[in-house]
Amino acid sequence: MRSLRLVVLSCLCLAVATTAAAVDGPEIPNRLPQAKAGEWVLMQGTSGDNMGVRNRVTVTAVKDGVVSLKRERLAPDGTVEETNAFDLNLERMASRNADLREHATAINTETIFVKDKEFSVVAVSWKGDPAEDGSGEREFKIWLSPDLPVGGLAKTWSSDHDFPSSEIVDYGF
């Protein structure tokens, strides 16, 4: 369930519509509207209960402003342990997330490597609601690239393990 929450949180972040900047920084890429059926990413958990867990997210259809996705949680041997499907309405997602830039605490450009290929990414940091354990505001960071599939998500990080961190380890168009 935590990995599904991560995927949903990540997808919410992907549908960002840029607005007037509250902090200086580059434009936040939003590749989700260009998603095509068949493209996929393989994300691997990097913290907490999600450490080492792999999730493959595949675009199954794009029609009438809706991107349909399938998330497969993979066992260590690569077999599918669990599958979930969900739809993202692009207009609703953009409207729900239009204020990410306004709430960002930092926006900058970084470089990451995926399968020995270099990608320029925009890293966006922000603070969220208090952590479930009452330890204070949660901090989040996502890395997005216009050159990666399924919305361009490259990496996620959270100070709260209820929203586990992950990074892309493979992809296909």
Side-chain angles (χ1 to χ4, degrees):
M1 184 57 135
R2 289 181 183 194
S3 59
L4 180 58
R5 284 173 50 178
L6 171 66
V7 170
V8 171
L9 173 68
S10 300
C11 291
L12 290 173
C13 297
L14 291 175
V16 172
T18 56
T19 60
V23 296
D24 289 331
E27 182 178 330
I28 300 170
N30 178 14
R31 194 184 171 287
L32 198 56
Q34 288 79 40
K36 295 193 178 351
E39 64 184 46
W40 57 274
V41 293
L42 181 63
M43 303 292 289
Q44 179 169 303
T46 58
S47 70
D49 293 342
N50 206 39
M51 180 69 89
V53 173
R54 290 179 171 229
N55 287 288
R56 181 174 47 227
V57 180
T58 304
V59 175
T60 57
V62 179
K63 184 176 181 182
D64 299 328
V66 174
V67 177
S68 298
L69 300 169
K70 174 176 68 173
R71 185 211 44 105
E72 299 168 301
R73 182 180 173 133
L74 304 178
D77 67 0
T79 60
V80 176
E81 290 182 332
E82 174 186 321
T83 301
N84 303 93
F86 54 98
D87 292 332
L88 298 177
N89 178 296
L90 295 176
E91 185 176 323
R92 189 173 331 134
M93 297 293 289
S95 124
R96 190 180 305 161
N97 291 284
D99 62 350
L100 178 60
R101 179 177 280 279
E102 182 178 326
H103 291 90
T105 56
I107 303 172
N108 54 35
T109 303
E110 297 179 15
T111 300
I112 64 161
F113 289 87
V114 181
K115 294 175 53 177
D116 297 326
K117 185 173 179 185
E118 184 176 304
F119 290 91
S120 177
V121 295
V122 173
V124 183
S125 302
W126 74 97
K127 293 186 179 198
D129 295 331
E132 290 179 11
D133 65 5
S135 63
E137 276 187 319
R138 290 182 280 211
E139 295 180 41
F140 300 94
K141 187 171 184 179
I142 57 172
W143 291 257
L144 300 163
S145 171
D147 301 318
L148 289 168
V150 192
L153 182 66
K155 197 172 173 182
T156 66
W157 174 84
S158 169
S159 62
D160 181 350
H161 290 300
D162 283 334
F163 295 95
S165 302
S166 67
E167 64 186 8
I168 187 171
V169 293
D170 201 358
Y171 62 93
F173 287 95

